[in-house]
Amino acid sequence: METPQEVQVDIGHLMAFDPHHHFTSPPPTREELVNECLQKGTELVQAIANELFILPSTEDRDGPLVKLSQPKTKLPREKPLPKPKAPTKWELFAKKRGIKNRKKDKILYDEQTQTWKRRHGYDRANDEENIPIIEAKMTDEPGVDPFAKRQENKRKRVEKQENNRLQNLKQAAKVGALPSHVQLAATALPITGTQATTKKITKDELGNVAGMAATATASGGKFDKKLPGEKPPKHEGKYRKFLPVVEGTGVGSREREQTEKVLNRLISKNSHEILNINKAVNMYNVKREKRRKHDDRKPSSSTSSKLKPNKKLQKKPLKKGSSKKGKAK
Protein backbone atom coordinates (compact mmCIF):
# COMPACT_ATOMS: atom_id res chain seq x y z
CA MET A 1 0.00 0.00 0.00
CA GLU A 2 1.55 3.29 -1.07
CA THR A 3 1.73 6.13 1.42
CA PRO A 4 -0.16 9.20 0.19
CA GLN A 5 1.78 12.42 0.00
CA GLU A 6 -0.63 14.45 2.14
CA VAL A 7 -0.11 12.25 5.23
CA GLN A 8 2.25 13.78 7.77
CA VAL A 9 4.24 11.23 9.79
CA ASP A 10 6.15 12.10 12.96
CA ILE A 11 8.19 8.99 13.60
CA GLY A 12 9.48 10.36 16.92
CA HIS A 13 5.96 10.25 18.42
CA LEU A 14 4.83 7.32 16.22
CA MET A 15 2.07 9.60 15.00
CA ALA A 16 0.48 10.19 11.58
CA PHE A 17 -1.94 12.95 10.61
CA ASP A 18 -3.88 13.79 7.44
CA PRO A 19 -4.71 17.53 7.45
CA HIS A 20 -6.71 17.33 4.19
CA HIS A 21 -9.17 14.68 5.30
CA HIS A 22 -12.81 15.74 5.80
CA PHE A 23 -15.87 13.69 6.57
CA THR A 24 -18.58 13.46 3.97
CA SER A 25 -21.63 15.69 4.21
CA PRO A 26 -24.45 15.27 5.06
CA PRO A 27 -23.30 13.52 8.27
CA PRO A 28 -23.29 9.75 7.75
CA THR A 29 -24.85 7.22 10.06
CA ARG A 30 -22.98 5.82 13.01
CA GLU A 31 -22.03 2.59 11.25
CA GLU A 32 -20.73 4.46 8.20
CA LEU A 33 -18.77 6.83 10.46
CA VAL A 34 -17.17 3.90 12.32
CA ASN A 35 -16.23 2.17 9.07
CA GLU A 36 -14.71 5.36 7.65
CA CYS A 37 -12.70 5.95 10.84
CA LEU A 38 -11.39 2.37 10.77
CA GLN A 39 -10.41 2.68 7.12
CA LYS A 40 -8.60 5.99 7.66
CA GLY A 41 -6.91 4.68 10.81
CA THR A 42 -5.65 1.65 8.87
CA GLU A 43 -4.11 3.96 6.27
CA LEU A 44 -2.35 6.05 8.94
CA VAL A 45 -0.99 2.98 10.76
CA GLN A 46 0.26 1.63 7.43
CA ALA A 47 2.04 4.93 6.80
CA ILE A 48 3.80 4.68 10.20
CA ALA A 49 4.78 1.06 9.47
CA ASN A 50 6.25 2.05 6.11
CA GLU A 51 8.38 4.74 7.75
CA LEU A 52 9.59 2.29 10.41
CA PHE A 53 10.74 -0.29 7.88
CA ILE A 54 12.75 2.37 6.05
CA LEU A 55 14.89 3.10 9.14
CA PRO A 56 18.13 1.13 9.63
CA SER A 57 17.69 -1.74 12.07
CA THR A 58 19.93 -3.90 14.24
CA GLU A 59 19.32 -7.55 14.97
CA ASP A 60 18.55 -8.57 18.52
CA ARG A 61 17.44 -11.73 20.23
CA ASP A 62 13.89 -10.30 20.48
CA GLY A 63 13.87 -9.14 16.86
CA PRO A 64 15.02 -6.15 14.78
CA LEU A 65 15.42 -2.85 16.66
CA VAL A 66 15.28 0.66 15.17
CA LYS A 67 16.24 4.00 16.67
CA LEU A 68 13.54 6.64 16.39
CA SER A 69 14.39 10.18 15.38
CA GLN A 70 13.67 13.26 17.48
CA PRO A 71 9.98 14.30 17.57
CA LYS A 72 9.02 17.19 15.31
CA THR A 73 5.49 17.90 16.53
CA LYS A 74 5.07 19.83 19.79
CA LEU A 75 2.29 18.22 21.76
CA PRO A 76 0.35 20.24 24.36
CA ARG A 77 1.30 19.78 28.00
CA GLU A 78 -1.12 17.80 30.16
CA LYS A 79 -0.75 20.06 33.22
CA PRO A 80 0.25 23.73 33.49
CA LEU A 81 3.84 24.64 34.19
CA PRO A 82 4.65 24.91 37.90
CA LYS A 83 5.16 28.42 39.16
CA PRO A 84 8.75 29.28 40.12
CA LYS A 85 9.53 29.16 43.80
CA ALA A 86 9.55 32.58 45.46
CA PRO A 87 13.06 33.60 46.64
CA THR A 88 13.69 33.86 50.37
CA LYS A 89 15.07 36.92 52.15
CA TRP A 90 18.53 35.39 52.28
CA GLU A 91 18.46 34.58 48.55
CA LEU A 92 17.46 38.16 47.73
CA PHE A 93 20.19 39.51 50.04
CA ALA A 94 22.83 37.17 48.60
CA LYS A 95 21.89 38.11 45.03
CA LYS A 96 22.08 41.81 45.91
CA ARG A 97 25.51 41.49 47.54
CA GLY A 98 26.85 38.95 45.07
CA ILE A 99 27.25 36.20 47.66
CA LYS A 100 27.54 32.72 46.20
CA ASN A 101 26.85 29.50 48.04
CA ARG A 102 30.01 27.62 48.90
CA LYS A 103 29.83 23.92 49.51
CA LYS A 104 31.09 23.10 53.00
CA ASP A 105 32.81 19.94 54.07
CA LYS A 106 30.72 17.44 55.98
CA ILE A 107 33.59 16.61 58.34
CA LEU A 108 35.38 19.01 60.72
CA TYR A 109 38.30 18.67 63.09
CA ASP A 110 37.25 18.60 66.73
CA GLU A 111 39.69 20.50 68.93
CA GLN A 112 38.65 18.80 72.17
CA THR A 113 38.94 15.16 71.11
CA GLN A 114 41.60 15.82 68.44
CA THR A 115 39.58 13.77 65.93
CA TRP A 116 37.51 14.35 62.80
CA LYS A 117 33.74 14.46 63.32
CA ARG A 118 30.58 15.41 61.47
CA ARG A 119 29.65 19.05 61.06
CA HIS A 120 25.99 18.53 62.03
CA GLY A 121 23.96 15.95 63.92
CA TYR A 122 24.71 13.71 66.86
CA ASP A 123 28.27 13.76 68.22
CA ARG A 124 29.19 16.66 65.96
CA ALA A 125 32.46 18.53 66.08
CA ASN A 126 32.91 21.52 68.39
CA ASP A 127 29.55 21.02 70.05
CA GLU A 128 28.85 23.77 72.58
CA GLU A 129 26.84 21.47 74.84
CA ASN A 130 29.83 19.17 75.38
CA ILE A 131 32.10 21.95 76.66
CA PRO A 132 32.43 21.44 80.44
CA ILE A 133 34.16 24.77 81.13
CA ILE A 134 33.40 28.18 79.64
CA GLU A 135 36.12 30.78 79.88
CA ALA A 136 35.01 34.06 81.43
CA LYS A 137 35.32 37.29 79.47
CA MET A 138 35.84 40.84 80.62
CA THR A 139 32.40 41.81 79.29
CA ASP A 140 30.54 39.10 81.25
CA GLU A 141 28.22 40.30 83.99
CA PRO A 142 28.91 38.89 87.44
CA GLY A 143 26.34 36.45 88.79
CA VAL A 144 25.08 35.34 85.33
CA ASP A 145 25.12 31.62 84.59
CA PRO A 146 26.97 31.21 81.27
CA PHE A 147 25.35 27.82 80.58
CA ALA A 148 21.82 29.20 81.03
CA LYS A 149 22.73 32.20 78.88
CA ARG A 150 23.97 29.87 76.15
CA GLN A 151 20.67 27.94 76.20
CA GLU A 152 18.72 31.20 76.02
CA ASN A 153 20.72 32.37 72.99
CA LYS A 154 20.08 29.05 71.28
CA ARG A 155 16.34 29.32 71.94
CA LYS A 156 16.28 32.81 70.45
CA ARG A 157 18.11 31.64 67.32
CA VAL A 158 15.60 28.84 66.83
CA GLU A 159 12.66 31.24 67.23
CA LYS A 160 14.22 33.67 64.76
CA GLN A 161 14.73 30.88 62.23
CA GLU A 162 11.10 29.77 62.61
CA ASN A 163 9.85 33.34 62.10
CA ASN A 164 11.96 33.65 58.97
CA ARG A 165 10.53 30.38 57.65
CA LEU A 166 6.95 31.57 58.18
CA GLN A 167 7.72 34.90 56.50
CA ASN A 168 9.11 33.03 53.48
CA LEU A 169 5.94 30.92 53.30
CA LYS A 170 3.86 34.06 53.52
CA GLN A 171 5.66 35.61 50.57
CA ALA A 172 5.34 32.38 48.58
CA ALA A 173 1.60 32.21 49.33
CA LYS A 174 1.09 35.72 47.95
CA VAL A 175 2.82 34.77 44.72
CA GLY A 176 0.97 31.44 44.60
CA ALA A 177 4.11 29.32 44.63
CA LEU A 178 3.90 27.39 47.87
CA PRO A 179 5.90 24.14 47.93
CA SER A 180 3.93 20.98 47.23
CA HIS A 181 4.53 19.60 50.72
CA VAL A 182 3.12 22.79 52.32
CA GLN A 183 0.03 23.32 50.17
CA LEU A 184 -2.06 20.78 52.08
CA ALA A 185 -1.09 22.23 55.47
CA ALA A 186 -1.25 25.89 54.46
CA THR A 187 -4.52 26.50 56.33
CA ALA A 188 -2.97 25.29 59.60
CA LEU A 189 0.03 27.63 59.36
CA PRO A 190 -0.01 31.19 60.76
CA ILE A 191 0.20 32.74 57.28
CA THR A 192 -1.68 35.97 56.64
CA GLY A 193 -2.37 37.79 53.43
CA THR A 194 -3.79 34.80 51.55
CA GLN A 195 -7.05 35.10 49.64
CA ALA A 196 -8.52 31.87 51.01
CA THR A 197 -10.06 32.24 54.43
CA THR A 198 -8.75 29.88 57.05
CA LYS A 199 -11.21 27.17 58.03
CA LYS A 200 -12.11 26.93 61.67
CA ILE A 201 -11.13 23.56 63.08
CA THR A 202 -13.94 21.77 64.86
CA LYS A 203 -13.61 19.86 68.08
CA ASP A 204 -13.88 16.48 66.36
CA GLU A 205 -11.23 17.35 63.78
CA LEU A 206 -8.90 18.60 66.51
CA GLY A 207 -9.45 15.39 68.43
CA ASN A 208 -8.72 13.29 65.36
CA VAL A 209 -5.50 15.17 64.66
CA ALA A 210 -4.43 14.86 68.30
CA GLY A 211 -5.17 11.12 68.24
CA MET A 212 -3.16 10.63 65.05
CA ALA A 213 -0.23 12.53 66.54
CA ALA A 214 -0.43 10.55 69.78
CA THR A 215 -0.38 7.17 68.02
CA ALA A 216 2.32 8.08 65.48
CA THR A 217 5.12 6.52 67.54
CA ALA A 218 6.41 2.98 67.30
CA SER A 219 4.52 1.92 70.42
CA GLY A 220 1.29 3.55 69.26
CA GLY A 221 1.47 6.17 72.02
CA LYS A 222 1.49 3.59 74.83
CA PHE A 223 4.63 4.89 76.53
CA ASP A 224 4.29 8.57 75.62
CA LYS A 225 3.75 11.23 78.24
CA LYS A 226 0.11 12.27 78.41
CA LEU A 227 -0.90 15.90 78.46
CA PRO A 228 -3.13 17.22 81.25
CA GLY A 229 -6.75 16.50 80.33
CA GLU A 230 -5.84 14.28 77.38
CA LYS A 231 -8.20 11.37 76.88
CA PRO A 232 -7.02 7.96 75.72
CA PRO A 233 -7.48 7.41 71.97
CA LYS A 234 -10.61 5.62 70.90
CA HIS A 235 -10.14 2.10 69.67
CA GLU A 236 -11.80 1.71 66.29
CA GLY A 237 -12.91 -1.81 65.52
CA LYS A 238 -13.52 -4.91 67.60
CA TYR A 239 -11.26 -6.44 70.20
CA ARG A 240 -10.18 -10.03 69.69
CA LYS A 241 -11.72 -12.38 72.24
CA PHE A 242 -9.74 -15.47 73.15
CA LEU A 243 -11.40 -18.57 74.62
CA PRO A 244 -10.20 -19.91 77.98
CA VAL A 245 -7.50 -22.55 77.97
CA VAL A 246 -9.07 -24.79 80.63
CA GLU A 247 -12.02 -26.78 79.29
CA GLY A 248 -15.17 -26.80 81.37
CA THR A 249 -18.91 -27.06 81.18
CA GLY A 250 -19.52 -23.36 80.82
CA VAL A 251 -17.45 -20.97 78.76
CA GLY A 252 -14.65 -23.53 78.44
CA SER A 253 -16.76 -25.78 76.20
CA ARG A 254 -17.09 -23.08 73.54
CA GLU A 255 -13.71 -23.90 72.05
CA ARG A 256 -14.83 -27.46 71.31
CA GLU A 257 -18.12 -26.26 69.87
CA GLN A 258 -16.32 -23.72 67.71
CA THR A 259 -13.90 -26.36 66.39
CA GLU A 260 -16.72 -28.78 65.60
CA LYS A 261 -18.63 -26.02 63.83
CA VAL A 262 -15.64 -25.22 61.60
CA LEU A 263 -15.02 -28.90 60.80
CA ASN A 264 -18.67 -29.52 59.97
CA ARG A 265 -18.68 -26.53 57.68
CA LEU A 266 -15.56 -27.71 55.87
CA ILE A 267 -16.84 -31.27 55.53
CA SER A 268 -20.24 -30.16 54.25
CA LYS A 269 -18.64 -27.74 51.81
CA ASN A 270 -16.20 -30.28 50.37
CA SER A 271 -18.25 -33.45 50.84
CA HIS A 272 -18.31 -34.11 47.10
CA GLU A 273 -14.51 -34.17 47.13
CA ILE A 274 -14.17 -36.32 50.26
CA LEU A 275 -16.61 -39.14 49.22
CA ASN A 276 -17.05 -40.32 45.64
CA ILE A 277 -20.34 -42.21 45.66
CA ASN A 278 -19.91 -43.81 42.23
CA LYS A 279 -16.45 -45.09 43.10
CA ALA A 280 -17.68 -46.48 46.42
CA VAL A 281 -20.58 -48.35 44.73
CA ASN A 282 -18.26 -49.83 42.11
CA MET A 283 -15.80 -51.03 44.75
CA TYR A 284 -18.64 -52.64 46.71
CA ASN A 285 -19.94 -54.44 43.60
CA VAL A 286 -16.45 -55.73 42.72
CA LYS A 287 -15.89 -57.07 46.23
CA ARG A 288 -19.29 -58.79 46.24
CA GLU A 289 -18.57 -60.40 42.85
CA LYS A 290 -15.19 -61.68 44.05
CA ARG A 291 -16.79 -63.11 47.20
CA ARG A 292 -19.46 -64.89 45.13
CA LYS A 293 -16.89 -66.44 42.78
CA HIS A 294 -14.82 -67.61 45.74
CA ASP A 295 -17.88 -69.25 47.30
CA ASP A 296 -18.70 -71.04 44.02
CA ARG A 297 -15.21 -72.55 43.75
CA LYS A 298 -15.22 -73.74 47.38
CA PRO A 299 -16.40 -77.44 47.69
CA SER A 300 -19.38 -78.36 49.87
CA SER A 301 -18.99 -79.55 53.46
CA SER A 302 -20.42 -83.15 52.80
CA THR A 303 -17.89 -84.07 50.14
CA SER A 304 -15.02 -82.51 51.92
CA SER A 305 -15.60 -84.57 55.04
CA LYS A 306 -15.33 -87.85 53.06
CA LEU A 307 -12.25 -86.91 51.16
CA LYS A 308 -10.31 -85.58 54.09
CA PRO A 309 -8.42 -88.22 56.09
CA ASN A 310 -9.14 -88.62 59.76
CA LYS A 311 -6.66 -86.58 61.76
CA LYS A 312 -6.85 -89.00 64.67
CA LEU A 313 -5.58 -91.91 62.53
CA GLN A 314 -2.65 -89.95 61.31
CA LYS A 315 -1.15 -89.61 64.75
CA LYS A 316 1.92 -91.79 65.24
CA PRO A 317 2.01 -94.18 68.22
CA LEU A 318 4.22 -93.20 71.04
CA LYS A 319 7.48 -95.10 71.47
CA LYS A 320 8.12 -97.21 74.50
CA GLY A 321 9.73 -95.43 77.31
CA SER A 322 8.64 -92.01 76.11
CA SER A 323 6.22 -89.77 77.81
CA LYS A 324 4.84 -86.31 77.25
CA LYS A 325 6.39 -85.06 80.41
CA GLY A 326 9.82 -86.31 79.44
CA LYS A 327 12.08 -89.15 80.62
CA ALA A 328 12.10 -90.02 84.25
CA LYS A 329 15.17 -89.10 86.10
Side-chain angles (χ1 to χ4, degrees):
M1 183 176 179
E2 297 182 359
T3 305
Q5 297 294 332
E6 62 270 6
V7 176
Q8 299 178 4
V9 180
D10 188 354
I11 202 64
H13 286 305
L14 293 177
M15 181 183 66
F17 176 66
D18 187 0
H20 303 288
H21 176 72
H22 298 284
F23 291 101
T24 58
S25 58
T29 61
R30 184 174 181 82
E31 295 181 359
E32 295 176 353
L33 182 62
V34 171
N35 294 332
E36 187 176 355
C37 291
L38 290 176
Q39 182 180 0
K40 195 62 182 177
T42 305
E43 296 177 3
L44 297 177
V45 172
Q46 185 63 43
I48 297 174
N50 295 340
E51 293 292 335
L52 285 176
F53 280 99
I54 294 174
L55 297 176
S57 61
T58 57
E59 292 297 331
D60 189 67
R61 130 180 116 174
D62 298 329
L65 299 178
V66 297
K67 186 177 181 181
L68 301 179
S69 59
Q70 292 295 331
K72 301 176 183 178
T73 307
K74 294 184 179 180
L75 299 178
R77 183 182 173 90
E78 180 184 1
K79 295 181 180 180
L81 290 172
K83 295 183 180 180
K85 185 179 178 181
T88 61
K89 289 184 177 180
W90 166 250
E91 292 175 351
L92 294 174
F93 177 78
K95 184 178 180 181
K96 183 179 179 180
R97 296 295 181 91
I99 302 175
K100 296 182 180 180
N101 291 333
R102 182 172 55 87
K103 188 175 181 180
K104 298 181 181 179
D105 296 333
K106 295 183 179 180
I107 298 177
L108 289 178
Y109 187 74
D110 190 9
E111 298 292 343
Q112 298 181 7
T113 59
Q114 303 295 323
T115 56
W116 293 89
K117 292 185 178 182
R118 292 186 293 268
R119 180 184 292 271
H120 304 288
Y122 175 74
D123 195 18
R124 59 183 179 272
N126 302 324
D127 190 4
E128 296 180 354
E129 296 181 358
N130 294 334
I131 299 176
I133 299 175
I134 300 177
E135 297 181 0
K137 299 179 182 179
M138 298 298 295
T139 56
D140 292 343
E141 298 180 3
V144 177
D145 187 2
F147 295 97
K149 186 177 180 181
R150 186 177 60 185
Q151 291 292 336
E152 182 68 19
N153 293 336
K154 182 179 179 180
R155 186 182 62 81
K156 290 181 179 180
R157 290 197 304 270
V158 172
E159 291 180 355
K160 183 180 178 181
Q161 183 66 23
E162 182 65 17
N163 292 333
N164 293 338
R165 187 181 72 87
L166 294 177
Q167 290 295 329
N168 294 332
L169 291 176
K170 177 181 175 181
Q171 296 295 333
K174 288 182 178 180
V175 181
L178 277 175
S180 58
H181 63 280
V182 185
Q183 290 179 0
L184 297 176
T187 56
L189 294 174
I191 302 174
T192 58
T194 57
Q195 297 179 358
T197 58
T198 57
K199 181 183 176 182
K200 186 177 181 181
I201 301 177
T202 61
K203 184 179 179 181
D204 296 337
E205 293 178 351
L206 186 60
N208 294 337
V209 173
M212 292 171 62
T215 57
T217 56
S219 62
K222 184 177 180 180
F223 303 103
D224 295 345
K225 185 178 180 181
K226 303 297 182 183
L227 298 175
E230 182 180 359
K231 296 181 180 179
K234 296 181 180 180
H235 179 79
E236 297 181 359
K238 297 181 180 180
Y239 287 95
R240 284 190 65 184
K241 295 183 180 180
F242 297 93
L243 297 176
V245 179
V246 182
E247 185 177 358
T249 57
V251 182
S253 62
R254 293 184 182 177
E255 184 176 2
R256 184 176 181 181
E257 295 176 359
Q258 185 177 1
T259 307
E260 291 179 354
K261 186 178 180 181
V262 173
L263 290 176
N264 293 334
R265 187 181 301 173
L266 291 175
I267 292 173
S268 62
K269 183 178 180 180
N270 303 321
S271 59
H272 60 283
E273 300 177 1
I274 296 174
L275 178 62
N276 192 341
I277 299 176
N278 297 330
K279 188 176 181 179
V281 171
N282 294 336
M283 290 178 65
Y284 175 76
N285 293 335
V286 170
K287 288 183 179 179
R288 186 176 64 177
E289 187 69 20
K290 287 183 179 180
R291 192 182 299 109
R292 186 182 64 79
K293 290 181 179 180
H294 181 71
D295 294 342
D296 293 344
R297 294 177 182 177
K298 187 177 181 182
S300 61
S301 60
S302 60
T303 57
S304 63
S305 62
K306 294 179 181 180
L307 295 176
K308 287 182 180 179
N310 193 358
K311 293 183 179 180
K312 294 181 180 180
L313 299 176
Q314 291 180 357
K315 290 184 179 180
K316 295 181 179 181
L318 296 175
K319 293 182 180 182
K320 294 181 180 181
S322 64
S323 86
K324 295 179 179 180
K325 296 182 180 181
K327 296 180 181 180
K329 295 181 180 180

